[in-house]
Amino acid sequence: MAGHSQFKNIMHRKGAQDAKRAKQFAKVLREITVATRSGLPDPASNPRLRAAISMAREVNMPKDNVERAIKKASGAAGGDDYVEVRYEGYGPAGVALIVEGLTDNRNRTAGEVRAAFSKHGGSLGETNSVSFMFQRLGVISYPLDVASEDEMLEAAIEAGADNAETTEEGHEVTCAMENFFAVRDALESRFGEAQSSKLDWRPENSVTLDEDKARSVMKLIDVLEDSDDIQAVYANFDIPDDVAEALAA
C-alpha cells in the first residue's frame, strides 16, 4: 500500500481518538453541506450527497447528525458558505502533494497551507503543477464476503469499471472519474451499499522513502490534515515495510 493510504494506516497508531473523531465529523459535515447545496437535498437525486453520506458512515457519524446537516444546508438561512480549493506542491524528498479543502476564507486557508509547506521542507506550486503525475479515479470498496473475486470482477466489467482487485482487505473497483456514479450505482444494485465510495487521486509513480525522509513527509501531511479547512491530502510516496515498522515503534 502506498502514498496517502499507507500514511493513514500508520497514523491509526496515534492516540487522542476523540479529538480525531471530532475533526473527521467536522470535515464530513462540510462535505455534506457543499453536496447538499450543489443539488437537491435528496441523496437519491444527488450523487455527491450520497457519496458524502457514505463518508459519514465510514467514520460512524450518527444518522441524526447527518440529517441535521442536510436540513441546515438546505434551509433558507443556509449557514456557513464553503468553497472548494485545491493546492499542489512538493514536500521533502521531492514527494508530490495534492491538498483538497473546503473553506469559508480562501486567504486564511492559502496562508496556512503555504506556511505548512514552507516550515516543513516543502514548496507550494501552481495549480496543475503536480496533478499531471496522478490519475483522478473513482474508487468503490466492498468487504470480501459480499462476492467472490470472479463475481466482483465480472460485475465491475459489466458496470464499466477499469479494474477490480481483490486482496485480503477486500474488493476494490476503480473507474474513470466520469463513470464513477454509474459504476457505483450498478455495483450497489447488485451487492448492496458499498463499504466506501469516493473520488481519489492515485499517483502514476511513487517515491520510495527512507526513515528520515518518511518522518519529514508524514509531519507535513499531519500538519496539513490538522487544519479544519483541509479535507484530504494525497501524495506519491511509498514506505517499505521495514521503515513503516520503525516509524510505528
Side-chain angles (χ1 to χ4, degrees):
M1 194 174 292
H4 183 62
S5 296
Q6 183 178 33
F7 165 77
K8 292 295 286 186
N9 287 340
I10 293 170
M11 293 303 289
H12 281 316
R13 75 189 192 279
K14 287 195 168 184
Q17 291 302 307
D18 287 346
K20 181 178 179 181
R21 173 177 286 191
K23 279 196 172 292
Q24 289 176 327
F25 280 17
K27 293 176 190 292
V28 171
L29 288 173
R30 286 196 185 197
E31 175 59 26
I32 290 173
T33 298
V34 173
T36 301
R37 292 177 182 165
S38 71
L40 296 172
D42 177 10
S45 306
N46 185 334
R48 181 169 178 177
L49 180 56
R50 284 180 60 196
I53 292 172
S54 176
M55 289 171 54
R57 282 192 289 264
E58 279 188 65
V59 298
N60 297 315
M61 179 180 289
K63 186 177 179 180
D64 287 349
N65 293 38
V66 175
E67 292 175 348
R68 279 197 301 271
I70 294 172
K71 185 176 181 180
K72 180 179 179 182
S74 59
D80 295 322
D81 189 18
Y82 300 111
V83 295
E84 296 178 84
V85 292
R86 189 176 90 210
Y87 307 95
E88 301 178 25
Y90 290 93
V95 169
L97 295 163
I98 296 176
V99 183
E100 292 185 332
L102 294 172
T103 180
D104 57 357
N105 187 322
R106 286 177 180 269
N107 290 336
R108 179 193 66 225
T109 307
E112 289 180 356
V113 171
R114 188 175 301 279
F117 271 85
S118 178
K119 183 176 180 180
H120 297 283
S123 58
L124 194 60
E126 299 295 326
T127 301
N128 299 320
S129 60
V130 305
S131 58
F132 69 92
M133 302 165 67
F134 294 75
Q135 284 185 299
R136 187 63 162 161
L137 299 174
V139 183
I140 302 104
S141 302
Y142 279 94
L144 280 175
D145 59 6
V146 302
S148 68
E149 182 175 358
D150 289 342
E151 288 172 335
M152 184 59 68
L153 179 59
E154 178 185 356
I157 292 172
E158 291 179 357
D162 295 330
N163 193 31
E165 292 187 2
T166 298
T167 67
E168 60 184 17
E169 296 181 352
H171 306 286
E172 182 183 85
V173 176
T174 53
C175 63
M177 179 179 67
E178 56 269 22
N179 298 334
F180 170 60
F181 293 117
V183 171
R184 183 196 63 185
D185 291 350
L187 293 176
E188 290 192 345
S189 69
R190 181 164 176 176
F191 301 117
E193 186 178 316
Q195 186 176 45
S196 171
S197 58
K198 60 185 177 180
L199 290 174
D200 205 356
W201 289 98
R202 293 288 174 91
E204 300 276 9
N205 297 289
S206 297
V207 178
T208 301
L209 302 177
D210 60 25
E211 185 175 345
D212 288 341
K213 290 176 180 176
R215 289 187 187 280
S216 297
V217 171
M218 289 170 61
K219 179 60 177 175
L220 171 56
I221 294 176
D222 195 12
V223 170
L224 289 168
E225 287 201 323
D226 197 47
S227 169
D228 291 338
D229 295 340
I230 302 306
Q231 294 294 97
V233 181
Y234 305 91
N236 69 338
F237 66 85
D238 181 73
I239 300 179
D241 290 343
D242 60 329
V243 174
E245 291 173 5
L247 294 175

